[in-house]
Amino acid sequence: MSYAGPEFDSPQPRRPRRRPLTLALAVLVPGALLGWLVYAGVSGAADGGGTTAAASPRASAPPAVSSTTAEDKKPLGSLRGKVVVIDPGHNLTNFRHTAEINRKVDIGTNRKECDTTGTSTNAGYAEAKFTLDVAHRLRTLLEKRGATVKLTQDGDRPYGPCVDERARIGNNAKADAVVSIHADGASAGQRGYHVILPGRVHQGIADTRRIVAPSARLGERIAHDFGRATGTAPSNYIGDGTGLDTRTDLGGLNLSKVPKVFIECGNMRDSKDAALLTSGAWRQKAAQGISEGIVSFLHGQRSAR
């Protein structure tokens, strides 16, 4: 752009009067140029490149890593590609099929009933109703994170499934984690939650040797996050305050070939625990705590690889 004005008029013939200014400029310009060159060199060395920090406000930032894997591109907290099986304990209509649920099935260490009716609060709120409600809430939370979620039963069966079939469902799904949801039926005054871990079993058709360690990690994460999310304490009657209990007499654990735990969310026979278990808001917290434990476990697995 050109600009016509008095500062750009043709020079007048009074050159001697401009000589001091010309001399000053002759001195100052090379000095300024030399100073700029020194500054540019120092700045370029400081930010590791040939440009100065003033040239770009991001010049001093570390270079971005260009190589990424498919795992790195997953959103933070994503469970895409992971399979979780949720096992809602018992079945609301088991009581109508006593012959079927009393049938004995092989659990490796011995033979045990196909299933049971479960327990209930003193007011009649059934454990099976509780477990299915929490399972639905948990499924929603996990699916939002991208997991593939399967239920062993969704209120769509006349009874069961039997404990051995519950284990097979998780095995056949090649699940990354399986959680069986329950609520206990202990004496009044016995309160709190606990997570049941599979013990080491290698007998008959049962072999838990490969899943004991990962199941323990899964159980520990769930116990921690469940207590934090629900604001409840670990069991005061099982687990010595740890909220963890190891057993070898449960077919659902003995026959599992993938990481699996049970969680007893509280005691339905204690009035204070029952008040929590029958609250929809608390059941949402319970599902949230279990979900966070599963997410923590699965991301821990990913980091270990």
Side-chain angles (χ1 to χ4, degrees):
M1 180 181 292
S2 62
Y3 175 74
E7 294 178 9
F8 292 86
D9 288 343
S10 299
Q12 300 300 316
R14 293 185 179 182
R15 293 177 183 268
R17 298 182 64 180
R18 296 196 175 201
R19 192 167 299 164
L21 178 60
T22 303
L23 181 61
L25 289 174
V27 173
L28 290 175
V29 169
L33 179 60
L34 178 61
W36 183 87
L37 289 172
V38 172
Y39 172 77
V42 172
S43 299
D47 65 13
T51 59
T52 66
S56 170
R58 308 182 74 148
S60 60
V65 179
S66 59
S67 60
T68 57
T69 64
E71 197 77 22
D72 295 329
K73 293 178 181 177
K74 291 182 180 180
L76 183 63
S78 172
L79 296 182
R80 192 178 65 214
K82 297 295 185 180
V83 177
V84 179
V85 171
I86 305 171
D87 179 28
H90 313 291
N91 187 312
L92 272 172
T93 54
N94 272 356
F95 72 95
R96 297 175 183 164
H97 301 272
T98 54
E100 290 88 346
I101 66 170
N102 286 330
R103 177 175 62 84
K104 299 290 181 71
V105 298
D106 186 359
I107 67 166
T109 53
N110 62 304
R111 296 181 68 81
K112 202 166 183 178
E113 289 79 8
C114 157
D115 202 2
T116 67
T117 59
T119 187
S120 66
T121 66
N122 294 331
Y125 180 65
E127 179 185 2
K129 187 173 184 179
F130 167 82
T131 64
L132 193 57
D133 180 83
V134 173
H136 287 161
R137 296 170 187 268
L138 178 57
R139 176 174 62 188
T140 298
L141 292 170
L142 293 172
E143 286 181 341
K144 283 181 179 179
R145 288 183 174 267
T148 297
V149 182
K150 299 183 179 182
L151 270 60
T152 58
Q153 60 93 8
D154 197 5
D156 53 353
R157 301 177 59 129
Y159 67 90
C162 295
V163 295
D164 57 340
E165 184 181 352
R166 290 174 187 263
R168 283 196 299 274
I169 292 171
N171 296 342
N172 293 339
K174 294 180 172 54
D176 296 286
V178 183
V179 178
S180 189
I181 301 171
H182 291 264
D184 212 355
S187 302
Q190 296 182 319
R191 299 194 60 195
Y193 66 90
H194 65 276
V195 178
I196 304 173
L197 315 175
R200 185 181 174 87
V201 174
H202 184 209
Q203 184 176 340
I205 62 172
D207 187 355
T208 63
R209 290 175 296 176
R210 294 182 61 182
I211 69 160
V212 167
S215 296
R217 291 193 296 272
L218 172 62
E220 289 163 2
R221 302 290 178 90
I222 289 177
H224 174 270
D225 289 331
F226 185 88
R228 181 180 48 77
T230 60
T232 54
S235 170
N236 62 8
Y237 62 100
I238 290 178
D240 296 324
T242 65
L244 301 171
D245 183 38
T246 301
R247 292 175 60 171
T248 59
D249 63 326
L250 298 175
L253 295 180
N254 285 6
L255 302 178
S256 183
K257 300 184 185 303
V258 294
K260 182 174 181 178
V261 298
F262 281 40
I263 180 167
E264 299 279 3
C265 297
N267 178 17
M268 301 199 95
R269 293 296 185 173
D270 177 83
S271 59
K272 293 180 180 178
D273 270 12
L276 299 175
L277 297 166
T278 54
S279 161
W282 189 88
R283 291 195 298 274
Q284 185 63 32
K285 293 178 182 179
Q288 185 68 43
I290 298 170
S291 171
E292 289 174 6
I294 293 171
V295 171
S296 177
F297 166 73
L298 293 178
H299 281 292
Q301 277 190 323
R302 182 179 300 165
S303 300
R305 287 199 294 269

